[in-house]
Amino acid sequence: MSGFFTRLEERSRDAGTRLCVGIDPREATTGEARSRARRIIAATAPSAAAFKFNSAYFEALGPEGIESLIDLVAEVPEEIPVILDAKRGDIPESGAAYARACLEVVRAGSVTISPYLGIDSIRPFLDHDGAGVWVLARTSNPSAAAVQDLALTGGGVLHEEVVRQATTWAGPDRLGLVAGATDPGALARVRAAAPGHWILAPGVGAQGADPASLGVGLREDGSGLLVTASRSIAAAGDPGAAAADIRSTLARLRPVGPASNDSLLAVDLHAAGCVRFGRFTLRSGNESPVYLDLRRLVSHPGSLRRVAAVLSASVSRLGGEAIGAVPYGGLPLATAAALQGGIPMVWARPRPKEHGSGDAVEGEWHPGQRLVLVDDVVTSGVSALESARALRHHGLVVEHLVVVVERSQAGRSALAAEGIALHSLTTLRGLAEDLAAAGLIDEEQRRQVDAMS
């Protein structure tokens, strides 16, 4: 019999689908759960590349629930692979028992695995010929970033290292990776770190992920991405039609090619709603087809952490002894970068305090200290220049400004005239080009930005 990922490749290609239908029974009785699951399987089978059974809901129903799980897995059409979402992972002896339970008793074709015990937790499953494993890399739950996006001292974040390690444990024919669809930026980074492996992306539907934004998870050949929808299909009046709609959307996804650091940044900013297209009136009174609002990053900790890691690395490279935050857009970014890099931060208040110490510069500092300014966006450079002048007035040395997006060349010239070199992570034009390449904006939107330059 063919291995799991070979079967998945064949099913996805032959049925023209990237959809994994999740079976998560929430009914109060085993009979209701079994009946509902059977109806969903029958209705959605034409659209399903795979079925994913969530073991927890069956276990919660007791022995009869586990019996139902075994029976339902056996009833899935033979050509459709089955994933058991069990998130197992233990020392070798216990892991071997879990592997027998999942692969021999339940008879699933593959299992989701927690990697935090290392290869020891994976090997018992790989010892079963033909079985596949899905290693949790970057999950879709809201607090995932707090652990999985922890910065590493050598650069990068924890989930990226998990991916690098996991891809040495087994090849794409035996091992896939789980990366939540709710964070396209993290999904893109997992794909960049594992260009050949399948990715299982949960989170479409009830968890709010947009299936149209997931092209960043495709391999270069247009395959390799399995997108899970569960509650949104189960709760639909017509589960078959709901599955067909998601299947149709996913079928329109196109691969975006090898991801660069710039394109990964663009995906993060777009996913956080920091770049929007339409008709906007700017503070200058001019109209623009694009609006940048990087303040929204504070509500997206995973994206904020990744942007901050690049900023802190830039500050260190430029020899900054401290980060100088430009109020107010630069404050959250500079704070996050300071935490990421362990670098002190100071900032000049637009107006000195009229109470307490009356400080004009917040934080601990000394004359002659070398600061690298950090801001979100630069257009004219006025805000950054005001901060630089205030800091220089107190004897601090300011020669560099790092921004996430350089909107206009005018700011670069104004800063250079006062001895400040501008370093941008991306430009507005570059941002639009990367978003277009990722399929997140259309060609007309890209041309509108181009015409502004």
Side-chain angles (χ1 to χ4, degrees):
M1 185 177 183
S2 299
F4 174 83
F5 286 101
T6 298
R7 295 179 58 228
L8 177 60
E9 197 87 45
E10 292 171 350
R11 172 62 184 177
S12 178
R13 181 189 63 241
D14 295 346
T17 178
R18 298 172 171 130
L19 174 63
C20 176
V21 177
I23 307 297
D24 303 353
R26 288 169 165 78
E27 286 74 20
T29 69
T30 303
E32 292 171 339
R34 186 194 298 251
S35 177
R36 182 68 175 276
R38 281 189 171 130
R39 289 197 299 273
I40 292 171
I41 291 169
T44 63
S47 297
F51 284 106
K52 179 173 74 69
F53 289 80
N54 192 317
S55 179
Y57 292 103
F58 291 96
E59 293 173 26
L61 293 169
E64 291 183 352
I66 296 173
E67 290 177 7
S68 293
L69 171 62
I70 295 169
D71 292 343
L72 288 165
V73 168
E75 293 171 13
V76 170
E78 186 177 357
E79 68 274 14
I80 304 179
V82 170
I83 302 166
L84 184 63
D85 190 2
K87 299 180 177 67
R88 301 302 190 223
D90 210 332
I91 61 174
E93 293 79 6
S94 301
Y98 278 132
R100 290 195 301 273
C102 296
L103 300 172
E104 297 178 17
V105 178
V106 178
R107 299 186 68 80
S110 66
V111 187
T112 56
I113 306 290
S114 173
Y116 289 97
L117 273 72
I119 183 61
D120 289 346
S121 64
I122 310 297
R123 188 174 288 114
F125 293 84
L126 295 176
D127 286 343
H128 287 255
D129 289 343
V133 297
W134 296 94
V135 173
L136 302 178
R138 181 53 162 80
T139 57
S140 58
N141 54 303
S143 64
V147 173
Q148 295 166 22
D149 284 355
L150 285 173
L152 304 179
T153 54
V157 296
L158 179 59
H159 78 257
E160 293 173 334
E161 181 60 25
V162 168
V163 173
R164 283 190 286 271
Q165 291 280 340
T167 54
T168 68
W169 298 338
D173 60 328
R174 300 299 308 278
L175 184 145
L177 298 151
V178 179
T182 52
D183 189 341
L187 175 62
R189 283 170 165 77
V190 171
R191 172 52 71 210
H197 290 252
W198 273 83
I199 293 176
L200 177 66
V204 164
Q207 293 185 59
D210 176 9
S213 69
L214 304 180
V216 294
L218 291 170
R219 293 191 314 230
E220 286 190 64
D221 64 1
S223 186
L225 179 67
L226 189 61
V227 179
T228 300
S230 304
R231 281 173 283 175
S232 58
I233 291 176
D238 184 343
D245 284 346
I246 299 173
R247 172 192 182 180
S248 178
T249 299
L250 295 174
R252 293 193 290 271
L253 296 177
R254 294 294 179 266
V256 301
S260 66
N261 288 333
D262 286 347
S263 63
L264 293 174
L265 172 65
V267 171
D268 266 325
L269 295 181
H270 185 272
C274 297
V275 51
R276 286 174 278 174
F277 288 81
R279 293 185 63 184
F280 304 96
T281 301
L282 304 179
R283 184 168 56 181
S284 64
N286 296 328
E287 282 203 349
S288 171
V290 61
Y291 183 64
L292 299 173
D293 183 7
L294 271 67
R295 290 171 175 83
R296 294 175 62 94
L297 272 174
V298 299
S299 296
H300 300 266
S303 296
L304 175 60
R305 195 186 302 261
R306 291 188 290 269
V307 172
V310 180
L311 290 172
S312 66
S314 298
V315 171
S316 296
R317 176 175 54 81
L318 294 169
E321 299 174 82
I323 295 174
V326 178
Y328 286 98
L331 279 169
L333 291 172
T335 302
L339 289 170
Q340 285 276 0
I343 306 170
M345 186 186 95
V346 300
W347 61 286
R349 299 177 64 91
R351 292 182 299 277
K353 285 195 292 190
E354 296 179 356
H355 59 281
S357 62
D359 288 338
V361 177
E362 298 287 2
E364 294 184 8
W365 53 274
H366 58 82
Q369 190 173 21
R370 301 183 67 84
L371 301 186
V372 174
L373 291 180
V374 166
D375 204 358
D376 55 354
V377 179
V378 66
T379 303
S380 65
V382 169
S383 297
L385 284 170
E386 289 175 350
S387 286
R389 290 165 186 157
L391 293 164
R392 285 172 166 177
H393 176 74
H394 289 83
L396 292 152
V397 177
V398 180
E399 297 175 340
H400 299 278
L401 167 66
V402 180
V403 298
V404 179
V405 183
E406 181 180 358
R407 186 180 180 112
S408 166
Q409 286 282 323
R412 181 177 291 271
S413 300
L415 290 158
E418 297 200 21
I420 298 174
L422 175 61
H423 311 268
S424 58
L425 305 190
T426 188
T427 63
L428 181 57
R429 175 183 283 185
L431 186 61
E433 289 175 351
D434 290 329
L435 291 175
L440 298 176
I441 64 172
D442 58 36
E443 186 59 22
E444 176 58 28
Q445 290 170 315
R446 188 199 66 77
R447 282 196 296 266
Q448 288 175 348
V449 172
D450 224 20
M452 296 169 56
S453 305

